[in-house]
Amino acid sequence: MELVVARIGRAHGIKGEVTVEVRTDEPELRLSPGAVLRTEPASVGPLTIETGRVHSGRLMLRFAGVKDRTAAESLRNTLLIADVDPAELPEEEDEYYDHQLMDLDVVLEDGTEIGRITEISHLPSQDLFIVERPDGTEVMIPFVEEIVAEIDLEEQRCVITPPPGLIDDRAEIVSTRDAEAASSEGDA
């Protein structure tokens, strides 16, 4: 199974190093020297990691055969892909690989069906579940503890507790101005 583990950013320095946007919770396992990674686009790779280091909080990698800034810059925006055994599980109990979450049924705590996870979008601030509803429309659910109450892989379901307005258009809009107007009408 393929797992996107990073996206190559800009070149750093003149000796072929690049910054990478890490997309795995296990960079020490997937992005260590000697690792051979497939790429998207495939024509760029495969790439073998020669060295890795952290500089100012960012991971820097150098790949075999990439010796200067020009070659490093040509790799920008390339996705790095690792082969992962589908039976392998993340180290932490509440972590999941994308393939484990795909096609889970999404339901409310009372069992009301919302839809099925069709995509997982990895954003800098948080991950989003893209959920296809029974009517074919999509809804985005932030993968955060406050909303995703339970992931049950055995039952193939994800239980959510969404705030008003996330799933439907019936958001409760509370305004102090409205409350003041209502109370002043009662005084008249």
Side-chain angles (χ1 to χ4, degrees):
M1 178 196 64
E2 296 180 345
L3 182 68
V4 174
V5 293
R7 182 182 66 80
I8 297 176
R10 61 182 175 78
H12 180 80
I14 60 171
K15 296 183 179 178
E17 256 186 338
V18 294
T19 62
V20 293
E21 174 190 309
V22 176
R23 294 190 178 176
T24 175
D25 290 333
E26 303 165 319
E28 65 285 344
L29 176 66
R30 311 270 182 233
L31 299 171
S32 59
V36 178
L37 303 168
R38 287 202 318 288
T39 60
E40 178 62 41
S43 60
V44 175
L47 294 172
T48 302
I49 297 175
E50 199 170 82
T51 65
R53 68 185 178 99
V54 176
H55 175 71
S56 298
R58 294 195 57 94
L59 180 61
M60 306 284 179
L61 297 179
R62 182 176 295 126
F63 299 101
V66 178
K67 300 297 181 195
D68 61 31
R69 184 176 185 86
T70 303
E73 192 61 41
S74 72
L75 298 175
R76 192 172 194 160
N77 292 321
T78 298
L79 296 178
L80 299 175
I81 302 166
D83 284 318
V84 178
D85 180 348
E88 183 180 325
L89 299 176
E91 292 177 6
E92 299 294 321
E93 183 179 320
D94 59 347
E95 290 180 358
Y96 303 94
Y97 291 134
D98 287 4
H99 74 274
Q100 294 175 290
L101 301 171
M102 292 297 292
D103 292 325
L104 290 184
D105 292 322
V106 178
V107 298
L108 299 177
E109 284 184 308
D110 67 4
T112 303
E113 179 186 3
I114 301 301
R116 181 171 298 230
I117 298 173
T118 57
E119 185 181 337
I120 298 159
S121 181
H122 300 281
L123 304 176
S125 59
Q126 68 190 14
D127 295 336
L128 287 176
F129 292 154
I130 310 301
V131 176
E132 185 176 322
R133 302 176 87 166
D135 65 4
T137 62
E138 290 183 337
V139 63
M140 292 183 270
I141 310 288
F143 187 16
V144 294
E145 195 174 318
E146 296 81 13
I147 296 173
V148 178
E150 177 187 0
I151 300 283
D152 186 340
L153 296 178
E154 283 187 25
E155 295 292 323
Q156 287 290 291
R157 69 185 192 138
C158 169
V159 179
I160 62 170
T161 56
L166 183 66
I167 300 300
D168 56 33
D169 296 331
R170 297 184 303 254
E172 293 180 28
I173 300 173
V174 179
S175 166
T176 55
R177 186 179 312 144
D178 293 342
E180 290 169 2
S183 67
S184 67
E185 287 175 11
D187 295 338

